Amino acid sequence: MEYNFREIEQKWQEFWQKNQTYKVDMDASRPKFYVLDMFPYPSGAGLHVGHPLGYIASDIYSRFKRLQGFNVLHPMGYDAYGLPAEQYAIQTGQHPAVTTEKNIARYREQLDKIGFCYDWSREVRTCNPDFYKWTQWAFIQMFNSYYSLPPTPSTRGGAKPISELIAHFQQYGTEGANAACGTELSFTAAEWNAKSEKEQRDILMNYRIAYKADTMVNWCPALGTVLANDEVSEGVSVRGGHPVEQKVMSQWSLRVSAYAQRLLDGLDTINWTDSLKETQRNWIGRSEGAEITFHLSPNPSPQARGTNPKGNFKPTTNAHNWKLLIEIAKELRSNQTEAEAILWEEVRAGKIGYKIRRQHIVDGYIADFINLEKNLIIEIDGGVHLTPQQKEKDQQRTQILNDFGFTVIRFTNEEVKADPKLIASKIKAKLDELPSMQSAPLPCGEGSGERSENQGEVVVFTTRADTVFGVTFMVLAPESSLVAQLTTSDQKQAVTDYLVATKKRTERERIADKRVSGVFSGSYAINPLTGDAIPVWISDYVLAGYGTGAIMAVPAHDSRDYAFAKHFDLPIVPLIEGCDVSEESFDAKEGIVTNSPAPGKEMEDGLVLNGLTVKEAIAKTKQYIAEKGLGRVKVNFRLRDAIFSRQRYWGEPFPVYYKEDQPYMLDESKLPLELPEVDKYLPTEKGEPPLGRAKNWQTEDGFPLELNTMPGFAGSSAYYLRYMDPHNDKALVDKNVDEYWRNVDLYIGGTEHATGHLIYSRFWNKFLFDLGIVCEEEPFKKLINQGMIQGRSNFVYRIKDTNTFVSLNLKNQYDVTPIHVDVNIVSNDILDTEAFKNWNPEYKTAEFILEDGKYICGWAVEKMSKSMFNVVNPDNIVERYGADTLRLYEMFLGPLEQSKPWDTNGIDGVHRFLKKLWSLFWKEDSLLVTDAEPTADELKALHKLLKKVKADIENFSYNTSISAFMICINELTSLKCSKRAILEPLVVTLAPFAPHVAEELWHALGHTTTVCDAQWVEADEKYLVENTATYAISFNGKVRYQMQLPADMPTAEVEAIVMKEEQSQKWLEGKTPKKVIVVPKKIVNIVL
RNA sequence: GCCCGAAUGGUGGAAUCGGUAGACACGCAGGACUUAAAAUCCUGUGGCCAUUACGGCUGUGUGGGUUCAAGUCCCACUUCGGGUACCA
């Protein structure tokens, strides 16, 4: 009997289907094991040989576990929503549901041919309403939840109903609320209760886990849509080349950042590769540091006013006194005189038509009242001002202030108390007559009732608090809200130009680009530790989304700051003893601190870091700024909230409607909210997303429904739970079912998901865990990354301007153009010239210059893609060699995790292996299997294999286990062994790898039930004992000859024998060895 | 730019804990069988130099280092692949 793989494979695939061999049910009597593949996106191109790589690996593992007695859940489904289907729909007008359905059918057909042990009764598709119902349901739960932060570091926070937060606000306001939020708010219970429903809902958005907020997007007006960074290059869309700009858009987001610490901590509990965990750790990006507040220099500097040339300016505020004065000003504000209090009531909140501030610092003085628009200072004098000395001092002071461009008017306490309204009107009259100052006023100090804490200061986050003495400038992100506030009128044009330029660049371009760009805002800030005034710049190397959107620049110790400082000629102050910053910054966190403070700039009660190590200095600075109220110690995460809206058609609709512009959730009974039909898959004329085209896209009560849809990761975030209980319409997953299957024991998929899907689904699962829906906090216990299969392209070489093609090794004699040729008409790099002529009409008349009668093609490793003509379909391979050969060959190619090019060339080897295996059983039509007793050699060959294969499967080193099979079959073939006692365990061991041929041979051996339910055979060490060992005898590390010695010979004896050995004498050259090293059973090294 | 991987014959790869580099397979060369081809089987196959040898030298991307011993550990670099937040 021939090894007829086509017949065999078809027969057993039908058998498995008929017997429902792969159907799985809960079974409390057996331990569970859940093996999951990352489900595919069903693209129009069909499955290529790269896809099954991971599926085969997981299939082998599933079958192996089943042989070991586990109840194995191994499902498959489709990630069916996505951009390519939508793009195709836009181009062809075909409904994406139709093309997706077609693609899925093709995928399924291809998958079925490979003989996977999936339980297809559990299939899920993310685009099915009964699946996305639960995606929508989870979204509603997230909207109705907030994240309760842990009150102490040792306790843990979690998602809680938003109603609990509302109850807290009603009773206590924000005090003690401890909720993760977007911006920190502060209000009392009374204030909360006084707010309208709309105001309350607006505030709650700041706390919900699914919330709507303004975010920056790449907006392409011409396409009417938002683009990924991928789709934008040099400020224009990759598709069509239309201009793209950064735009603010209100979008749904998920508060993933609230889970940052738990996502980080959870990594320690799961069995993933270190590199993948490291990637996630970096992505989450926890940094411990400090937030430091830099107050703005309160009045425009001469430079900003244009009176001093650059480089020769003098800050108007007496910078060294700033820190001191701000404290006094605060104190004065709370201890103001009676007259000041009375007048304040008359002029505050713009009552006289001008904005008046009080206790404002100007130069070395604190002005009682000030209007910055017209630079008017109003002083209220008490009794002391009447003495002649004081009068003189006041005169001097007035003079100085006049020099800075201020007008000063004075009133006495008595005048104010007598008629405050009169004084107020006098002030107004004075203001009316004064001209407006050229420079825009700096908002600083007292506001007029609105939230004003952040006005007049820049808060930065730094992990290098120790470098605060080396801060020589500050940089704001272009998107920072402070930019508008801090830009002086002189700089307005330059800043505006810069912002326009930046708007064209995507975030990635900004990060990747080393070119330095930036613009001076015109304003100065005060370094709280040195009192120095430092310029505030704007540059796109600072990102709004990270930290506070502003940095303190320390050019001596940060390379980006260094490049910026060099470019704009800003000072660089080294802070580490002995470091050289003439060529580059010193970024390392090591060394002894100096220049902190610089000699001669010490302040009384000031911070001194000199002489400390960097580590000590960081700790000391943190402590200092916390104590002095200059900032606070803070943990910052790089992980951002996930933007959850897409302006697309082909995605899950949001279960959201709008009433008076406020989003509300649909009632759960209305789920699923099904995706409506639209006439075109394009944005509307108004620029709304495609759902804006849907008719009657509203609730029963007539409220409009959300027009955005959910992103790609929505459906993939909890699909592994749905497989457990795929037909449940009462719950995402039944509690008992979840408690049986718990979580995924083995997850196989590509590294490209490391920071997307694998973060989001961990977040999603933790959220469900907090709600008590699932019993495990981590979804994927063990994760293996499969490498990418790259394409191996073939080339033919056309002689220029002819239709003649020259073989690879002769091409240098001609002027040729390499042309991609379909790899499917090339075999072992030899072109099928007839097939080539028929491949493309253009080549119908092609002529060839051959070498040795063959046309040899060139080759290169490239991405597997249609345009390179290097796509290899698994169907073709299955047709030619069978599924078992494909399975073995994919695994034989190399280590699972490594990327490698697909090259069909080697496939004959594994096919030959299967034929050799077959010929151990069959010679023509007679079965060779006997019941004779196996010999020691035969048993050794088998048990070597059993041991190796088990260890290899557990290490996912499938390529070496296939080598082991080949070695074993080669040995058994030369031993002419066809004994049942050997072949039966061999078949069971092979069954996970090549299930069809194993099933066939299993039945040939007389079994009537499936080999899938056979029992795994364990290796027995007693057959593997070696009596002798081969020693490599080396001199100075170079192996010179080999020697067989008893395996249990003591090392001293080995040494003695080797030294006496004749061959050793030659290498010893009469010398006495300095040292002899004997490694038992391995090597002897003689050092001369 | 930043983060994570990878690099070994003509090719895919092996070497599991620092101990004989190249297992296994492809390809290639030579041979057997055959009218011939396919299939199958046998032999050889990292490079260089010798072939009188059961011979010598060299060799795991590059340059250094640690060690009796380095593909494996350390430092610096080169090239390639993946990710970089709206491809999936």
Side-chain angles (χ1 to χ4, degrees), chain A residues 548-769:
Chain A
T548 60
I551 61 153
M552 57 177 222
V554 187
H557 302 289
D558 180 284
S559 42
R560 289 159 309 173
D561 297 347
Y562 186 86
F564 195 86
K566 281 277 177 184
H567 188 267
F568 289 107
D569 201 18
L570 294 158
I572 297 168
V573 181
L575 302 170
I576 301 291
E577 278 180 17
C579 75
D580 175 15
V581 295
S582 57
E583 291 300 322
E584 57 180 5
S585 60
F586 181 83
D587 290 13
K589 278 191 184 181
E590 55 196 40
I592 302 298
V593 176
T594 183
N595 256 338
S596 303
K601 295 195 80 177
E602 296 86 357
M603 287 197 291
E604 205 180 316
D605 195 27
L607 176 67
V608 179
L609 301 175
N610 294 328
L612 300 178
T613 64
V614 167
K615 211 176 153 189
E616 290 162 349
I618 291 174
K620 189 169 177 188
T621 310
K622 280 185 186 170
Q623 194 190 349
Y624 182 86
I625 59 167
E627 278 172 8
K628 301 283 174 181
L630 303 173
R632 56 175 177 162
V633 173
K634 209 192 166 200
V635 173
N636 207 32
F637 292 97
R638 203 183 75 99
L639 182 71
R640 302 205 290 250
D641 287 347
I643 299 173
F644 203 62
S645 303
R646 298 290 181 267
Q647 294 69 45
R648 315 276 190 198
Y649 174 71
W650 192 231
E652 298 86 347
F654 281 92
V656 172
Y657 66 94
Y658 288 86
K659 198 160 81 182
E660 287 159 16
D661 288 335
Q662 278 288 323
Y664 289 82
M665 294 297 118
L666 289 179
D667 192 83
E668 282 176 24
S669 65
K670 299 278 188 277
L671 300 185
L673 173 65
E674 294 201 22
L675 187 65
E677 294 302 318
V678 293
D679 57 346
K680 267 191 249 171
Y681 307 100
L682 290 170
T684 65
E685 281 82 41
K686 282 188 279 177
E688 290 167 342
L691 290 194
R693 296 174 173 276
K695 290 199 182 90
N696 294 320
W697 189 236
Q698 55 187 25
T699 62
E700 287 159 9
D701 310 325
F703 294 112
L705 289 161
E706 171 72 55
L707 299 182
N708 287 299
T709 52
M710 297 186 191
F713 66 84
S716 58
S717 287
Y719 75 116
Y720 55 92
L721 291 170
R722 200 59 192 155
Y723 280 133
M724 297 175 183
D725 200 5
H727 308 297
N728 190 339
D729 60 357
K730 301 284 182 299
L732 166 64
V733 54
D734 179 83
K735 229 175 155 44
N736 287 327
V737 173
D738 181 65
E739 272 167 16
Y740 179 72
W741 294 113
R742 307 194 73 83
N743 56 5
V744 175
D745 295 281
L746 174 66
Y747 196 24
I748 295 189
T751 35
E752 67 271 22
H753 299 288
T755 53
H757 164 62
L758 288 175
I759 288 268
Y760 295 131
S761 52
R762 290 183 61 221
F763 150 77
W764 202 286
N765 189 76
K766 281 178 194 296
F767 171 74
L768 296 174
F769 176 81

Side-chain angles (χ1 to χ4, degrees), chain A residues 1035-1062:
Chain A
F1035 294 80
N1036 284 339
K1038 286 189 181 177
V1039 176
R1040 295 304 179 181
Y1041 67 97
Q1042 277 152 32
M1043 232 181 143
Q1044 297 280 331
L1045 291 171
D1048 55 357
M1049 183 180 270
T1051 55
E1053 213 172 308
V1054 171
E1055 184 181 334
I1057 289 178
V1058 169
M1059 294 308 289
K1060 270 186 257 158
E1061 175 68 25
E1062 192 188 331

Side-chain angles (χ1 to χ4, degrees), chain A residues 761-1011:
Chain A
S761 52
R762 290 183 61 221
F763 150 77
W764 202 286
N765 189 76
K766 281 178 194 296
F767 171 74
L768 296 174
F769 176 81
D770 288 349
L771 262 56
I773 308 292
V774 301
C775 62
E776 290 280 356
E777 181 157 4
E778 285 292 340
F780 314 120
K781 251 198 278 195
K782 182 174 176 69
L783 191 137
I784 297 283
N785 284 126
Q786 101 240 15
M788 306 263 289
I789 293 265
Q790 294 151 310
R792 186 181 188 275
S793 310
N794 274 118
F795 298 95
V796 291
Y797 301 92
R798 175 156 68 181
I799 301 173
K800 280 215 171 109
D801 305 320
T802 70
N803 212 4
T804 302
F805 296 81
V806 57
S807 186
L808 175 70
N809 298 305
L810 304 172
K811 75 174 162 72
N812 291 340
Q813 301 165 24
Y814 304 88
D815 186 11
V816 296
T817 320
I819 297 169
H820 276 98
V821 60
D822 189 344
V823 294
N824 294 298
I825 59 170
V826 177
S827 173
N828 288 334
D829 291 337
I830 297 163
L831 180 70
D832 179 340
T833 52
E834 282 312 303
F836 180 72
K837 285 183 186 175
N838 294 326
W839 179 50
N840 187 326
E842 202 187 322
Y843 305 134
K844 198 84 214 166
T845 58
E847 289 176 35
F848 303 93
I849 298 174
L850 307 176
E851 48 183 310
D852 302 331
K854 290 176 282 197
Y855 188 97
I856 312 229
C857 298
W859 62 273
V861 172
E862 295 173 304
K863 210 176 146 153
M864 194 173 277
S865 94
K866 269 182 167 173
S867 62
M868 313 270 193
F869 299 108
N870 60 7
V871 175
V872 181
N873 286 313
D875 322 29
N876 294 351
I877 308 284
V878 170
E879 183 54 32
R880 252 176 91 187
Y881 297 97
D884 285 335
T885 299
L886 172 74
R887 292 170 61 106
L888 287 174
Y889 186 56
E890 291 234 6
M891 294 300 99
F892 186 64
L893 267 180
L896 189 57
E897 329 79 65
Q898 237 168 70
S899 291
K900 56 234 154 192
W902 176 269
D903 181 358
T904 312
N905 283 348
I907 200 164
D908 288 323
V910 289
H911 193 64
R912 252 170 235 160
F913 154 74
L914 287 178
K915 285 204 229 170
K916 274 190 203 170
L917 166 78
W918 187 263
S919 59
L920 287 179
F921 286 75
W922 296 95
K923 189 175 176 89
E924 274 139 32
D925 275 346
S926 58
L927 192 64
L928 301 172
V929 180
T930 68
D931 288 324
E933 281 296 308
T935 66
D937 280 349
E938 290 163 351
L939 284 166
K940 191 169 165 187
L942 174 70
H943 285 262
K944 225 165 52 184
L945 175 78
L946 298 179
K947 184 178 174 182
K948 175 82 177 149
V949 170
K950 186 179 177 190
D952 281 351
I953 292 178
E954 282 166 349
N955 289 315
F956 302 93
S957 175
Y958 297 146
N959 55 330
T960 52
S961 51
I962 291 164
S963 297
F965 276 114
M966 290 172 169
I967 293 167
C968 178
I969 294 298
N970 288 346
E971 283 173 356
L972 293 179
T973 303
S974 48
L975 292 167
K976 295 195 175 20
C977 170
S978 291
K979 295 167 185 165
R980 174 187 298 274
I982 300 296
L983 295 184
E984 203 167 87
L986 178 68
V987 165
V988 175
T989 310
L990 184 68
F993 296 85
H996 307 86
V997 71
E999 192 79 271
E1000 173 73 19
L1001 296 174
W1002 181 249
H1003 282 76
L1005 288 166
H1007 296 276
T1008 52
T1009 55
T1010 173
V1011 72

Side-chain angles (χ1 to χ4, degrees), chain A residues 308-325:
Chain A
N308 270 21
K310 184 190 171 198
N312 187 28
F313 66 87
K314 167 177 155 282
T316 56
T317 301
N318 185 332
H320 279 285
N321 287 340
W322 168 256
K323 197 165 79 69
L324 208 65
L325 288 167

Side-chain angles (χ1 to χ4, degrees), chain A residues 414-574:
Chain A
E414 286 66 33
E415 284 173 305
V416 173
K417 280 191 217 168
D419 191 348
K421 286 203 165 36
L422 176 71
I423 301 299
S425 66
K426 278 187 180 173
I427 293 170
K428 183 176 185 311
K430 189 75 189 173
L431 285 165
D432 285 343
E433 93 187 40
L434 286 171
S436 278
M437 289 294 109
Q438 187 195 358
S439 291
L442 289 172
C444 194
E446 190 73 25
S448 54
E450 78 265 24
R451 286 198 349 223
S452 61
E453 262 76 23
N454 284 323
Q455 287 188 4
E457 59 191 41
V458 180
V459 179
V460 300
F461 176 80
T462 178
T463 55
R464 291 294 303 272
D466 60 308
T467 59
V468 68
F469 287 96
V471 177
T472 55
F473 58 101
M474 302 192 72
V475 187
L476 301 177
E479 303 89 339
S480 169
S481 56
L482 290 171
V483 167
Q485 271 182 50
L486 268 69
T487 302
T488 58
S489 52
D490 281 5
Q491 288 299 101
K492 198 165 171 111
Q493 192 56 49
V495 169
T496 309
D497 290 348
Y498 186 69
L499 295 187
V500 167
T502 314
K503 263 193 158 187
K504 292 184 182 150
R505 310 179 75 202
T506 65
E507 197 172 75
R508 199 189 307 170
E509 282 169 341
R510 284 167 52 176
I511 300 166
D513 200 343
K514 275 188 123 177
R515 280 175 300 179
V516 174
S517 71
V519 63
F520 178 48
S521 70
S523 292
Y524 291 82
I526 305 299
N527 185 327
L529 281 138
T530 63
D532 293 337
I534 52 175
V536 180
W537 287 68
I538 298 157
S539 173
D540 65 5
Y541 81 94
V542 176
L543 302 176
Y546 186 62
T548 60
I551 61 153
M552 57 177 222
V554 187
H557 302 289
D558 180 284
S559 42
R560 289 159 309 173
D561 297 347
Y562 186 86
F564 195 86
K566 281 277 177 184
H567 188 267
F568 289 107
D569 201 18
L570 294 158
I572 297 168
V573 181

